[in-house]
Amino acid sequence: MSDKLPSEARVVVIGGGIVGCSVAYHLAELGWKDTLLLERRTFGCGTTWHAVGLVGQLRATQNLTRLAMYAKELFARLEEETGQTTGFRQTGSLAVAQTEGRRIELERGAAMARCFGVEMERIGTDEAKRLWPLMNTDDLEASFFIPGDGQTNPTDTTVAMAKGARRRGATVLEHVKVTGIHQKGGRVAGVATEQGDVACEYVVNCAGMWAREIGRMAGVAVPLHAAEHFYLITEPIEGVYHGMPSMRDPDGFIYFREEVGGLILGGFEPVAKPWGMDGIPEDFEFSMLNEDWDHFEVFMENALRRVPALAEAQIKQMVNGPESFTPDNRYILGAAPELKNFFVAAGFNSVGIASSAGAGQAVAQWVSEGTPPMDLWDVDIRRFSPWEANPRYLHDRTVETLGLLYGMHWPFRQPETARNLRCSVLHGRLAARGACFGVVAGWERVNWYAPKGVEAKYEYSFTRQNWFEHSAAEHHAAREAVALFDQSSFARFALEGRDAEAVLQRIASNDVAVPPGKIVYTQMLNPRGGIECDLTVTRIADDRYLIVTSAATARHDFCWIRDHIPDDAHAVLTDLGAGAAVLGVMGPNSRALLSELTDADLSNAAFPFGTAQEIDLAYGRVWALRITFVGELGWELYIPVEFAANVYDAVVAVGERFDLRHAGYHALDSLRCEKAYRHWGHDITSEDTPLEGGLGFAVKLKKNTDFIGRDALLAQKQRGLTRRLVAFTLDDPEPILLHDEPIYRDGELKGQITSGAYGHTLGSSVGLGYVENAAGIDDDYILSGNYEVDIAGKRAAATPHWGAPYDPKSKRPRM
């Protein structure tokens, strides 16, 4: 294979760290021999070389765990395939808990691991001491062991993948710096390097902490920032043995692994040190940053308590090397929204070694097939908006995100840094009423309201948190009187033009050929029948639709629709931004309340459920949509921002006579779970079809247009289902369901909870989750079993519901 830079290639992979080499290896494995991998200096010289090399399997979601599990398989066979050792050993790993909260977190992790196919078990003190003789266990609540975890040599593994890529036909070059990205017609056309230009069809940005800079060359936002990461290496210590498991003590912010008879001690501190604000030095290659023993002190103090033998150990070296972190502590994969055929695999938040094999394979398949091989929304680049590449925002958030790797993963935990970026025009008024805000896509959204005398601040736990009773009152107001929700974070798009209907009919699975004023709830599917978007479409006029979706999926959904508008279609998609405030007025008293402020007829006859009208309300003119995500009579009011304060004040003033209560998103979630309303990204994903998700009512298989995914649904319908989303209520009123709890039917593991909340009307937790049965599934199968849900190692009896547990015939929204 020539070492000369070619003038063209089909795909150029930028960055020769372990992730870039993995992408090149897997592209070549797929037959893409015209793959060119370019490294600015030497393979692995940026972040990879100083990584500790832990290969853990369990991640926050099933598919990210699947990607991590593949590393064990790949690293073990690379040496035989390439002749290059990787140093991979399956040593297992220990995780220990000092607190009750951490014990519950790990118990939940062990239960979740069973769903994901990972062996993880709680072990006793004697077994923990046998595996890790140097460990002090006096202050531990519990210990857990994952036997399938391992360790690898990052540099050797990187070289092995580079060799494997070259053997399969890829061109792999060092000392070639990319200086620009060529574009033509909105697509990648090539790269510029210090040694000349290379024409290509695809680019994959695997440049690690340089990925944001490479992204800028292409006009692509890649939100990541480098931070200093510390560890030290000791001389050999008596009692440390070859093959000893790695050990994590997240309550002490520390981890250990064996290294040539000694120990590596590292950690993730709660207050981190961002690095590279003034750019990365041009000569950065196998470089280390300055030692900082004062910053390392918190690790050393905790390590000496956990491993007293360290007090007598000789320190060989302190390593301080930068790694890149993202604003939400999840890495970045996928096709960039801004430029066709430009892909990203970067920002690995210190799990790059363990994730490299699976992430590289997934991106290679994504490039090759044009779609991700599985639901990868958790790491999809489209979850970010361009503003999140703001350097000041990234710097301030990175101070926090590094430490979150070992921080407590509390339910509903909110970031503390870089807040108040995107605020509703009503933010100040809501704050004055005791709003406690959470963050989604940068939006400050009210999660709950603190009554007078109560601080609007979270107190986290895995049981009933401090807002539980306050949110319950908000929930009951929506069911029994009227509740006011600020939903201004909704994303809104306009699709306009004479072909707007035809375009939407092709993309949407429901029938959107409806009269103006009609609202259509629909999914948008991929060719496999999986749900890519879950949203509402309101026909405003013959040639104009209003599309409403969630804040979290705004960019994803916009790109999906945009990318499926034919080039010759007379249809334009516009993001309407934050030009309107959105108020949800929900509950049995909502009609009476709003009728005090408008001359419009809000009766069923004049304003039926599932319709929209432009009406005068207080001193404003608003679009009123009669639709609900709480399962009650109500309207969503879309108010131009300049009128929002007046309309809000009027609603609140009149609302006093109708027992109006302000309500937040925790109440919204508990209300929608009682109604079994689905949440995209949790209950329904790109791997779930509407038939599996119980959304067949929103699919019109017989409509005149052949929509995307229709053939897949027809085939599935003929085949029969083997999995189905089911609603469950717990028989015991005390436990709290969250997500990923295993579901057992007649003692057999049959699925997992996808989302859960406490159903205050029902008096117990409610969860949605998939039940699977290879022999087929129907209502008889669902309803005939005896069910239990595993919550942190304890099983709770559960009752299945084929429909919604509350108001299954949906009479209340149509009152």
Side-chain angles (χ1 to χ4, degrees):
M1 185 64 64
S2 171
D3 289 333
K4 183 180 177 182
L5 182 71
S7 61
E8 60 181 349
R10 190 176 183 194
V11 55
V12 174
V13 180
I14 302 173
I18 194 167
V19 173
C21 289
S22 177
V23 170
Y25 172 88
H26 287 98
L27 281 168
E29 187 178 50
L30 290 171
W32 286 50
K33 298 185 182 300
D34 198 5
T35 294
L36 173 63
L37 171 63
L38 300 179
E39 163 54 44
R40 60 180 285 277
R41 292 279 179 164
T42 308
F43 290 137
C45 72
T47 293
T48 298
W49 75 274
H50 61 72
V52 172
L54 301 180
V55 184
Q57 301 173 90
L58 186 60
R59 294 290 178 259
T61 66
Q62 186 162 13
N63 283 346
L64 296 189
T65 299
R66 285 169 61 186
L67 297 187
M69 291 175 71
Y70 171 58
K72 180 172 66 172
E73 173 192 336
L74 178 63
F75 295 171
R77 65 176 163 84
L78 274 175
E79 182 172 353
E80 180 179 352
E81 178 185 330
T82 66
Q84 167 69 47
T85 183
T86 63
F88 175 75
R89 293 175 292 163
Q90 187 172 312
T91 58
S93 71
L94 273 170
V96 300
Q98 297 183 32
T99 64
E100 177 68 5
R102 185 73 69 177
R103 180 196 66 76
I104 295 173
E105 179 185 47
L106 292 173
E107 292 277 16
R108 289 182 60 86
M112 184 173 70
R114 287 189 282 276
C115 293
F116 298 172
V118 174
E119 184 182 351
M120 178 178 178
E121 59 181 341
R122 183 173 177 176
I123 59 175
T125 301
D126 291 344
E127 178 65 5
K129 289 283 287 185
R130 185 188 71 78
L131 291 168
W132 239 89
L134 278 66
M135 180 170 61
N136 171 30
T137 61
D138 292 348
D139 60 344
L140 295 183
E141 286 280 335
S143 301
F144 293 79
F145 185 54
I146 304 179
D149 284 354
Q151 304 167 5
T152 199
N153 182 300
T155 299
D156 288 345
T157 306
T158 301
V159 171
M161 283 200 275
K163 284 186 175 181
R166 187 181 287 114
R167 281 172 174 250
R168 293 177 184 271
T171 301
V172 179
L173 301 179
E174 296 177 308
H175 303 291
V176 181
K177 181 181 177 182
V178 172
T179 58
I181 307 295
H182 296 310
Q183 306 176 33
K184 185 176 182 180
R187 295 177 178 270
V188 165
V191 301
T193 80
E194 291 180 335
Q195 299 178 28
D197 290 355
V198 180
C200 64
E201 297 177 46
Y202 299 87
V203 165
V204 187
N205 178 4
C206 303
M209 58 188 174
W210 290 269
R212 183 155 53 103
E213 178 185 340
I214 296 294
R216 281 202 204 101
M217 297 177 186
V220 172
V222 183
L224 55 80
H225 199 294
E228 299 183 33
H229 179 54
F230 303 84
Y231 63 85
L232 61 79
I233 308 171
T234 75
E235 298 287 356
I237 300 173
E238 185 177 352
V240 175
Y241 62 92
H242 182 71
M244 190 164 72
S246 57
M247 189 262 282
R248 298 176 178 88
D249 179 2
D251 291 314
F253 322 125
I254 50 177
Y255 62 82
F256 301 87
R257 66 157 281 185
E258 180 264 335
E259 177 73 5
V260 197
L263 290 175
I264 291 178
L265 158 63
F268 299 97
E269 66 275 29
V271 180
K273 293 181 66 178
W275 178 81
M277 287 71 74
D278 298 324
I280 300 170
E282 181 62 31
D283 61 351
F284 198 92
E285 180 181 13
F286 298 112
S287 302
M288 286 196 293
L289 308 180
N290 294 332
E291 296 180 351
D292 188 339
W293 287 99
D294 289 340
H295 197 76
F296 198 81
E297 184 178 4
V298 64
F299 301 139
M300 202 68 211
E301 288 180 355
N302 291 329
L304 287 170
R305 284 196 294 271
R306 186 61 52 229
V307 184
L310 280 173
E312 304 300 325
Q314 297 296 310
I315 296 174
K316 182 187 296 185
Q317 181 184 16
M318 172 183 271
V319 175
N320 178 11
E323 299 189 19
S324 55
F325 292 82
T326 64
D328 61 3
N329 228 16
R330 290 176 276 141
Y331 52 88
I332 304 172
L333 291 187
E338 300 94 335
L339 181 63
K340 289 183 179 179
N341 294 350
F342 187 93
F343 288 76
V344 179
F348 278 84
N349 304 280
S350 252
V351 297
I353 304 304
S355 303
S356 61
Q361 184 185 56
V363 169
Q365 292 170 339
W366 202 332
V367 171
S368 182
E369 300 297 326
T371 58
M374 62 184 78
D375 170 34
L376 293 173
W377 173 240
D378 287 301
V379 291
D380 193 317
I381 191 172
R382 292 171 293 178
R383 75 187 188 274
F384 290 123
S385 295
W387 63 264
E388 290 176 272
N390 177 298
R392 185 178 298 240
Y393 166 76
L394 290 170
H395 170 276
D396 293 352
R397 180 57 61 84
T398 299
V399 171
E400 178 181 14
T401 52
L402 180 146
L404 294 182
L405 283 168
Y406 278 11
M408 279 296 302
H409 300 98
W410 296 115
F412 314 109
R413 188 199 177 280
Q414 302 298 325
E416 298 175 0
T417 54
R419 293 290 296 268
N420 294 318
L421 283 85
R422 307 174 78 184
C423 296
S424 161
V425 68
L426 302 172
H427 182 88
R429 281 170 162 79
L430 304 179
R433 289 185 172 272
C436 185
F437 294 94
V439 182
V440 171
W443 277 101
E444 296 288 328
R445 307 194 313 182
V446 185
N447 280 346
W448 58 282
Y449 287 87
K452 288 183 180 180
V454 175
E455 186 179 7
K457 183 178 180 181
Y458 277 95
E459 296 174 10
Y460 297 116
S461 76
F462 284 101
T463 56
R464 301 183 181 192
Q465 296 187 3
N466 63 314
W467 48 265
F468 182 87
E469 293 300 333
H470 311 311
S471 185
E474 299 166 19
H475 177 113
H476 289 306
R479 290 277 184 254
E480 299 164 11
V482 60
L484 180 65
F485 299 87
D486 179 23
Q487 297 171 288
S488 299
S489 62
F490 277 174
R492 299 173 304 115
F493 317 135
L495 184 68
E496 301 172 279
R498 65 171 180 263
D499 295 331
E501 178 187 301
V503 167
L504 274 181
Q505 284 287 70
R506 172 66 177 155
I507 304 173
S509 59
N510 209 336
D511 188 355
V512 299
V514 295
K518 180 66 176 174
I519 305 169
V520 179
Y521 170 56
T522 187
Q523 287 74 49
M524 294 177 176
L525 313 180
N526 56 43
R528 300 188 299 267
I531 301 170
E532 291 287 348
C533 309
D534 180 68
L535 41 74
T536 61
V537 173
T538 302
R539 190 161 205 166
I540 303 298
D542 288 343
D543 60 351
R544 178 179 170 87
Y545 288 87
L546 172 68
I547 301 169
V548 179
T549 190
S550 70
T553 61
R555 202 176 193 203
H556 171 279
D557 292 0
F558 183 89
C559 292
W560 183 265
I561 299 168
R562 179 200 65 187
D563 294 345
H564 288 86
I565 299 175
D567 292 339
D568 60 351
H570 190 277
V572 177
L573 183 69
T574 305
D575 187 337
L576 298 177
V582 183
L583 292 179
V585 182
M586 301 288 162
N589 294 349
S590 58
R591 178 182 285 119
L593 188 163
L594 294 176
S595 293
E596 295 282 324
L597 296 170
T598 182
D599 293 331
D601 186 349
L602 303 183
S603 67
N604 270 325
F607 205 144
F609 179 77
T611 64
Q613 297 180 27
E614 192 174 27
I615 65 173
D616 292 319
L617 192 73
Y619 291 148
R621 179 157 290 184
V622 310
W623 270 98
L625 277 61
R626 190 172 167 197
I627 195 168
T628 180
F629 199 52
V630 305
E632 299 293 338
L633 172 70
W635 280 262
E636 290 175 0
L637 307 175
Y638 292 75
I639 313 161
V641 290
E642 63 269 33
F643 296 104
N646 169 265
V647 172
Y648 167 83
D649 289 343
V651 169
V652 172
V654 172
E656 291 182 6
R657 303 203 308 270
F658 296 94
D659 297 325
L660 174 74
R661 190 178 191 112
H662 285 66
Y665 272 80
H666 288 329
L668 193 75
D669 200 42
S670 61
L671 290 159
R672 70 98 183 170
C673 280
E674 288 189 333
K675 281 293 295 174
Y677 290 154
R678 280 59 167 157
H679 186 283
W680 192 87
H682 293 91
D683 310 310
I684 48 176
T685 71
S686 62
E687 289 189 65
D688 308 310
T689 72
L691 303 181
E692 294 168 333
L695 296 172
F697 67 90
V699 176
K700 297 298 183 286
L701 291 170
K702 294 182 179 180
K703 72 176 181 177
N704 294 331
T705 305
D706 183 14
F707 61 87
I708 298 169
R710 178 176 177 271
D711 291 344
L713 295 189
L714 287 171
Q716 186 179 59
K717 191 172 183 179
Q718 185 175 19
R719 234 178 12 250
L721 298 179
T722 58
R723 60 193 298 269
R724 176 63 154 79
L725 191 69
V726 180
F728 292 92
T729 52
L730 297 187
D731 297 352
D732 184 342
E734 289 303 313
I736 299 291
L737 286 177
L738 298 168
H739 54 78
D740 292 318
E741 295 91 347
I743 300 169
Y744 289 87
R745 181 185 184 275
D746 297 337
E748 293 185 45
L749 181 61
K750 287 291 185 178
Q752 66 198 69
I753 296 295
T754 52
S755 64
Y758 197 87
H760 299 287
T761 311
L762 302 171
S764 69
S765 278
V766 187
L768 303 179
Y770 284 93
V771 174
E772 303 187 17
N773 184 44
I777 199 164
D778 56 21
D779 55 350
D780 288 337
Y781 180 86
I782 293 294
L783 299 176
S784 62
N786 292 313
Y787 289 90
E788 295 173 303
V789 178
D790 185 324
I791 304 172
K794 296 181 180 179
R795 296 191 188 182
T799 298
H801 303 264
W802 186 246
Y806 173 80
D807 187 26
K809 295 184 178 180
S810 290
K811 293 180 179 180
R812 294 183 65 82
R814 295 170 169 82
M815 291 193 307

